[in-house]
Amino acid sequence: ESVLFMNDGVKLPTLDDQVAAHVQTLTDRGVEVLVCGTCLNYYGLTERLKVGTVSNMYDIADKLLRASRVVTL
């Protein structure tokens, strides 16, 4: 299972402490959390990432293409 943050969604694991805490709970349970590095750079948030792994759109797109179900918020 994976959670992917991209576009302005990268603000959630960087700026919102409550979201970061919930996402950390997911990672503790084995969920892979990928955050778009280009998006973090665009918003100037790279150094503020609290949880997740900085990734790239190649890996994120691959996860999306291979998923049996995608939920978008």
Side-chain angles (χ1 to χ4, degrees):
E1 304 297 327
S2 301
V3 176
L4 312 170
F5 292 95
M6 57 195 132
N7 299 322
D8 67 345
V10 300
K11 294 176 182 176
L12 293 171
T14 56
L15 300 177
D16 191 316
D17 290 333
Q18 287 183 332
V19 171
H22 290 294
V23 173
Q24 183 62 52
T25 300
L26 292 173
T27 60
D28 293 344
R29 294 181 180 180
V31 175
E32 180 181 35
V33 176
L34 300 179
V35 184
C36 174
T38 301
C39 303
L40 287 169
N41 288 335
Y42 177 80
Y43 290 108
L45 297 172
T46 304
E47 301 300 321
R48 297 184 70 180
L49 183 63
K50 296 176 177 145
V51 62
T53 302
V54 176
S55 189
N56 58 56
M57 286 308 290
Y58 294 111
D59 293 336
I60 291 171
D62 183 58
K63 291 282 185 190
L64 289 170
L65 290 171
R66 293 177 187 270
S68 60
R69 184 184 316 172
V70 175
V71 177
T72 305
L73 302 175

